[in-house]
């Protein structure tokens, strides 16, 4: 922090503002921006992986596997996201602790379920009570990533399932005519060609995922919305060196600008990716490129 910030009462104008914006709590706000970006960078490929296996299961020839895939897609897509965010955090946390309890405390003779309480031995708790704060924060972040991946993976599965069915059947029949087996046709023909059909839906899903990051506070993660609300609320002179009125409007306006810029950058990247994927493809986008080059 700047040396002239030592005595806030003597500060004026931009000096006061520069010192105010570099307080410890504001540093937590800036760190939370990277937390949100990290969540998106980890969750997007993880959800896509969930979605890919969900789509493969939904189109499987094995009936039980096909039922599981379609049930996963239908149930998660049919229930409000906020309900799943509240459910999965508790369910996953208790599930992990229950498995640890079975391994670490096999001689436990008391019931784990006691009415509405869930009680396991101290050694099975996640994280342990004496763990440092960063362990608790990392564990909460892990649960958030897993929850987001499960929820958005179902939407990705539905998109990929439709994209797989959109690949022209003659393409697959040609591969079979050349002697490719079912697995070779899937990985060499179907999967490479399905992305051009899946990208519009996945693009929308990416935008929804960006807009869903404020739900992190439901999962116990101190995100940018949490800090904007905390820092923007009226600051009493008795508790801070930088008192101010209700500034939440300005903090949330800054968040609005942040999300608009982020989504615009995403749109530009996705448009370029779509152009690259449709090049040479027998699609509307590919045909438009061929006409433009003619």
């Amino acid at each position: 922090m700047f040396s002239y910030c030592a005595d806030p009462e003597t500060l004026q104008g931009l000096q006061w503002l520069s010192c105010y914006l570099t307080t410890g709590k504001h540093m937590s706000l800036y760190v939370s921006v990277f937390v949100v970006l990290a969540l998106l960078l980890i969750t997007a490929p993880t959800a896509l992986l969930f979605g890919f296996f969900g789509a493969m299961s939904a189109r499987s020839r094995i009936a039980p596997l096909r039922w599981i895939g379609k049930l996963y897609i239908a149930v998660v897509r049919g229930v409000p996201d906020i309900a799943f965010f509240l459910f999965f955090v508790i369910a996953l946390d208790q599930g992990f602790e229950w498995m640890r309890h079975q391994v670490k405390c096999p001689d436990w003779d008391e019931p784990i379920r006691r009415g509405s309480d869930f009680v396991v031995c101290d050694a099975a708790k996640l994280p342990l009570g004496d763990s440092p704060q960063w362990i608790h924060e990392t564990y909460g972040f892990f649960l958030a990533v897993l929850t987001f991946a499960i929820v958005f993976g179902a939407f990705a599965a539905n998109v990929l399932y439709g994209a797989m069915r959109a690949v022209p059947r003659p393409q697959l029949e040609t591969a079979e005519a050349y002697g490719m087996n079912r697995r070779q046709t899937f990985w060499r023909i179907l999967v490479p060609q399905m992305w051009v059909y899946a990208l519009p839906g996945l693009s929308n899903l990416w935008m929804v995922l960006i807009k869903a990051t404020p739900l992190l506070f439901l999962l116990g993660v101190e995100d940018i919305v949490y800090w904007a609300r905390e820092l923007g609320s009226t600051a009493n002179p008795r508790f801070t060196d930088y008192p101010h009125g209700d500034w939440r409007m300005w903090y949330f306006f800054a968040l609005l600008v942040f999300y608009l810029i982020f989504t615009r950058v995403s749109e530009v990247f996705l448009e370029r990716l779509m152009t690259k994927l449709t090049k040479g493809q027998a699609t509307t986008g590919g045909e438009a490129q061929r006409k433009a080059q003619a």
Side-chain angles (χ1 to χ4, degrees):
M1 188 176 293
F2 304 107
S3 58
Y4 57 72
C5 295
D7 187 9
E9 294 183 358
T10 64
L11 300 177
Q12 298 292 331
L14 292 178
Q15 283 188 341
W16 185 94
L17 184 62
S18 64
C19 291
Y20 170 71
L21 294 177
T22 53
T23 59
K25 284 190 174 182
H26 278 87
M27 292 302 171
S28 297
L29 170 64
Y30 308 143
V31 170
S32 68
V33 174
F34 292 99
V35 170
V36 169
L37 296 178
L39 174 86
L40 291 170
L41 292 177
I42 298 174
T43 299
T46 307
L48 194 59
L49 189 63
F50 272 83
F52 186 73
F53 283 108
M56 287 181 61
S57 300
R59 66 188 305 272
S60 174
R61 291 183 175 181
I62 304 173
L65 192 59
R66 183 171 64 251
W67 296 337
I68 293 173
K70 290 187 175 181
L71 183 65
Y72 166 58
I73 295 174
V75 170
V76 177
R77 290 176 65 236
V79 176
D81 294 345
I82 192 170
F84 269 110
F85 286 137
L86 293 173
F87 167 76
F88 273 125
V89 174
I90 299 174
L92 291 173
D93 186 39
Q94 292 186 357
F96 292 146
E97 289 188 347
W98 180 85
M99 289 187 290
R100 284 172 56 87
H101 179 85
Q102 302 304 314
V103 175
K104 293 183 173 294
C105 307
D107 299 329
W108 183 277
D109 57 358
E110 299 180 15
I112 296 178
R113 284 289 181 187
R114 304 176 187 177
S116 60
D117 295 329
F118 182 83
V119 181
V120 296
C121 62
D122 292 338
K125 292 181 179 180
L126 282 175
L128 297 176
D130 57 354
S131 298
Q133 182 62 26
W134 71 269
I135 294 291
H136 289 266
E137 293 176 357
T138 303
Y139 179 67
F141 182 80
F142 166 75
L143 287 181
V145 169
L146 191 54
T147 301
F148 269 80
I150 292 173
V151 172
F152 285 93
F155 291 92
N158 189 59
V159 171
L160 296 178
Y161 179 74
M164 289 179 182
R165 300 184 65 182
V167 175
R169 178 63 189 168
Q171 300 279 359
L172 308 181
E173 293 175 347
T174 302
E176 294 170 356
Y178 272 94
M180 291 186 182
N181 57 34
R182 180 177 172 83
R183 177 172 296 183
Q184 289 173 327
T185 301
F186 178 79
W187 288 108
R188 297 183 183 182
I189 306 299
L190 181 62
V191 171
Q193 292 195 53
M194 76 172 183
W195 295 111
V196 69
Y197 300 100
L199 189 58
L202 293 178
S203 301
N204 290 335
L205 188 58
W206 169 254
M207 295 300 180
V208 174
L209 178 60
I210 293 175
K211 293 193 295 182
T213 53
L215 294 175
L216 278 172
F217 78 94
L218 292 176
L219 310 180
V221 179
E222 295 179 350
D223 67 325
I224 51 180
V225 176
Y226 168 84
W227 283 112
R229 183 185 61 186
E230 289 294 310
L231 293 169
S233 300
T234 303
N236 194 302
R238 294 175 54 190
F239 306 109
T240 178
D241 292 330
Y242 301 95
H244 61 77
D246 190 344
W247 288 1
R248 285 176 296 180
M249 182 187 72
W250 300 109
Y251 277 91
F252 285 116
F253 177 76
L255 290 187
L256 182 147
V257 173
F258 167 76
Y259 278 108
L260 285 177
I261 293 175
F262 193 20
T263 52
R264 180 53 188 161
V265 171
S266 298
E267 288 175 354
V268 172
F269 173 78
L270 291 169
E271 287 174 1
R272 293 182 178 179
L273 183 60
M274 175 59 83
T275 301
K276 184 176 181 180
L277 288 177
T278 54
K279 186 175 182 180
Q281 294 283 347
T283 61
T284 303
E287 185 64 24
Q289 291 184 51
R290 285 192 291 274
K291 289 182 179 179
Q293 294 172 359

